[in-house]
Amino acid sequence: MRAVIAWWDLDRSEQTIASLRDFLRDEAVDRFSQVRGLRLKVWISDEPTNRWGAVFLWESAQAADAPVPARAAELIGYPPTERHVFDVEATTEGAYDTVQLARLGLAFTG
């Protein structure tokens, strides 16, 4: 398994965290739900530093290396400011009440 973290510094972009939330709700979440080999994608933001990003969990190194939809980079206007790839040493799931992770977060509640 592989984990990937991608961050954009939005200071040079015309996009905002709010506009990128619309993008998630309107197209990105549904598109990524069809990506082969992707176990989990979590979109993240940090409003005080104006950063936007994602954490990916891939089934394999091959899946992590495969092309993915690049619409966010197209909208933002440049590739991620930072991108880090890691081997996954172990995984687990904790005890939780929310059964389904799909369509949770500020893009759907804010």
Side-chain angles (χ1 to χ4, degrees):
M1 293 187 88
R2 287 278 166 89
V4 176
I5 300 173
W7 268 116
W8 278 270
D9 179 338
L10 295 177
D11 288 342
R12 299 179 303 151
S13 179
E14 293 182 12
Q15 295 296 322
T16 65
I17 290 172
S19 69
L20 290 168
R21 281 184 188 141
D22 291 341
F23 161 67
L24 293 180
R25 200 172 31 254
D26 296 345
E27 62 181 279
V29 170
D30 289 336
R31 184 180 306 122
F32 273 91
S33 72
Q34 303 302 312
V35 172
R36 302 281 311 152
L38 179 63
R39 293 300 312 246
L40 177 69
K41 181 172 183 182
V42 179
W43 286 268
I44 55 179
S45 66
D46 183 13
E47 290 196 64
T49 63
N50 199 31
R51 294 192 319 162
W52 176 266
V55 177
F56 303 78
L57 182 61
W58 296 97
E59 285 184 321
S60 66
Q62 293 79 17
D65 291 339
V68 294
R71 182 93 166 104
E74 179 184 320
L75 290 172
I76 293 168
Y78 44 90
T81 310
E82 296 179 45
R83 185 174 183 275
H84 305 280
V85 179
F86 305 93
D87 291 323
V88 174
E89 298 293 338
T91 63
T92 191
E93 291 188 32
Y96 51 84
D97 294 324
T98 304
V99 176
Q100 182 175 330
L101 286 174
R103 297 191 164 274
L104 297 178
L106 294 174
F108 297 101
T109 62

